[in-house]
Every structure is written in C-alpha cells, then in structure tokens.
Amino acid sequence: MKVTWKLPDGSEITGTAEAGQSLMEAALAHDVPGVIGECGGTLSCATCHVHVAPSWVEACGGPGDFEDAMLDMADTRSEASRLSCQIEATDALDGLVLIVPEV
Ligand code: FES
C-alpha cells in the first residue's frame, strides 16, 4: 500500500508499506524523521505517534484501550492521534496520509 507522511516543515515523504507491516516499521524503513519507534512496537514508548489525516480517520479506526492510555504520553495528542505501531498496513488503507507531529 502507498502511504504519505506529512512532516512539520511542510515536506512529504511517500513510500510503500507491505501488508502486515506496521506503519511505524514502514516509517523507519523510509527514514521518516519524528517517528522513532523506540520500544519496537510493544506499546510502551509513544515515539511512533502520528495524527491520521481527517479523511483517513474512519478507515484507520480509533486506538485500543491500552493505546489510548499510552497516547496520553504524547505532547501533541489530538482526536486523530494514533500510535503508528498499532496501525497495520492493509490494502484498505492504500493512499493513507499520516501527519507527523512536531517533536
Ligand atoms: S513504537 Fe513504541 S508505542 Fe509504538
């Protein structure tokens, strides 16, 4: 699937994520600045925080309960916040746009 990360400086990175890969792993594979993935996707760091673009919020769904609690650690939490290690790449998300928060 294709995915675009919008960066705080206004630039964008577009790349692909393999089905089953998390969007955090895909961000690391494309050297997306601001997505660190410190805990390796075990829901214990919140350094993979992104805002889902408004038109993709419904398709991505909301955070699970534990993810929701972890998101409180993110400084710039919004209604569209997700931990990208918890978003799995699927064909249904082809074209996904994620907004990387200012760190
Ligand atoms: S990579 Fe640590 S919570 Fe997502």
Side-chain angles (χ1 to χ4, degrees), residues 13-91:
I13 295 173
T14 296
T16 54
E18 301 304 320
Q21 190 179 37
S22 79
L23 272 296
M24 176 276 280
E25 292 166 330
L28 295 193
H30 291 91
D31 293 324
V32 175
V35 179
I36 314 292
E38 199 171 286
C39 76
T42 57
L43 260 188
S44 52
C45 73
T47 62
C48 61
H49 174 221
V50 294
H51 304 285
V52 176
S55 57
W56 285 98
V57 168
E58 201 177 322
C60 271
D65 287 347
F66 197 69
E67 181 184 349
D68 187 54
M70 284 302 297
L71 276 167
D72 285 338
M73 287 174 61
D75 292 337
T76 55
R77 182 171 185 171
S78 74
E79 288 292 305
S81 285
R82 290 293 312 268
L83 294 178
S84 56
C85 67
Q86 301 303 305
I87 306 174
E88 185 181 316
T90 65
D91 288 345

